[in-house]
Each structure stands twice: as structure tokens, then as C-alpha cells.
Amino acid sequence: ASVVADATARGVWVCDTSDPGRGGVALPAVARVGGLTVAVGTGGASPALARRVRDRIAADLDPAYADWVAVLGRVRE
């Protein structure tokens, strides 16, 4: 609690895993396929659930998405 209070007083982002409501940052579970990033969060309420949902989504991410992101990035330029 004192680390969170000190960081907050100094304007530093802090993630308190023991009490997510106390910190100013909640980190999502992240899956990446090339340049495609999918993030799932529960606002700190249940990192285990976020991880489980992320894993289910990641299992369905075709590696071809990496190629699509690369192509779309070039086209966008």
C-alpha cells in the first residue's frame, strides 16, 4: 500500500496486483500474431479469466493475420 501511495503521489503509474482498485494501471492479457495485437482485460478483477479468454482467442488467430497486417500497413502508406 505504501509503494502504491508513493508512486501515485509522484505521478508514476502503478499496478497493485493485491488490490487492483488501488493502483492506476491494470494490465491486460495480450496475444500477438505479427503486427496484430489482441488484449483482454477485466479491470484487474480476474487476471485468470482474462488469460483464459486471451488463450481461447489466440488459439483461433490464424498466422495469416500477420501477413494481412503487413500488407495493409504497406497499402495504408
Side-chain angles (χ1 to χ4, degrees):
S2 64
V3 171
V4 172
D6 289 346
T8 301
R10 289 175 175 75
V12 175
W13 290 1
V14 62
C15 178
D16 185 340
T17 58
S18 63
D19 182 358
R22 189 167 45 198
V25 176
L27 302 175
V30 176
R32 291 184 177 85
V33 176
L36 177 66
T37 302
V38 176
V40 178
T42 61
S46 179
L49 176 60
R51 192 170 44 250
R52 185 173 180 174
V53 172
R54 182 261 334 255
D55 290 347
R56 290 190 68 177
I57 291 170
D60 290 334
L61 292 177
D62 189 307
Y65 283 123
D67 297 332
W68 274 110
V69 170
V71 167
L72 293 171
R74 287 192 300 273
V75 170
R76 185 167 187 188
E77 291 174 4

